Amino acid sequence: YQEAVRLWQDTVAKWPANGRAWNNLGLALSAAGRHEEAMDVCLETVKRDPFLAETFNNLGNAYCNVGRHEESLPHYRRAIQLNPAYAAPYSNYAAALSKLGRHEEALAQHEIAVRLNPDSAEAHFNAAGTLLALRRIEESLPYLRRAVQLKPDYLEAYNKMGNALRELGRWDEAVA
């Protein structure tokens, strides 16, 4: 990731008006674990290209990566406003809301993410996790089943489904 950071730094030095290059620099910094720097770069990107939904999504992620979940929310909302068909900010917004204990609001965002990206095992898994946090165990099962259908080696989803079935007293299914 350090090499990617260096390459994107060179790119933005050569083409400072390129918002996508700044966005990619922020992603590389985040992947390298340099979250504070990623946040600064995302803020710079927003100044250079205020209509790039991906940047607002990444800025929200940068805030979450340093535990500033409340501050991430307006950035996810802006990403959604700029590109309502872009599924990632809905999922990320939901995750931030869940971290804040706002599970009902999170569930609504997860449902949109699933609707926009029905072939995402992670979107289904995350929706199920929020339903489980709300103690709506039975409702989580279709999401978990779809997650493992989409990604047959999704061990976390199998584990979560087994635990949910156990809580429902459906032991034979849980063991399977």
Side-chain angles (χ1 to χ4, degrees), residues 35-165:
H35 302 300
E36 293 287 343
E37 291 174 80
M39 191 179 332
D40 292 340
V41 167
C42 287
L43 288 166
E44 183 63 31
T45 307
V46 165
K47 290 179 196 169
R48 293 173 184 278
D49 190 346
F51 302 105
L52 188 58
E54 292 88 348
T55 297
F56 285 94
N57 181 62
N58 296 337
L59 182 54
N61 290 344
Y63 276 100
C64 284
N65 287 335
V66 295
R68 295 166 61 180
H69 304 289
E70 188 70 44
E71 292 172 82
S72 73
L73 300 179
H75 303 294
Y76 293 131
R77 286 191 296 265
R78 180 67 177 142
I80 290 166
Q81 180 184 32
L82 288 169
N83 186 353
Y86 178 32
Y90 293 98
S91 290
N92 295 329
Y93 186 35
L97 289 166
S98 286
K99 289 282 188 183
L100 295 168
R102 295 163 56 182
H103 300 297
E104 287 290 345
E105 292 174 76
L107 181 59
Q109 300 305 310
H110 281 307
E111 288 172 344
I112 295 168
V114 166
R115 198 166 45 252
L116 289 172
N117 196 1
D119 294 330
S120 168
E122 289 75 18
H124 289 275
F125 179 79
N126 293 335
T130 298
L131 283 163
L132 290 168
L134 290 166
R135 305 297 305 152
R136 292 164 56 181
I137 299 167
E138 189 71 45
E139 291 175 63
S140 74
L141 294 176
Y143 288 101
L144 290 167
R145 286 189 181 102
R146 182 67 178 141
V148 298
Q149 181 183 36
L150 291 165
K151 187 176 173 185
D153 62 345
Y154 203 162
L155 299 180
E156 290 174 306
Y158 282 110
N159 186 53
K160 196 166 280 217
M161 187 174 0
N163 287 331
L165 289 164

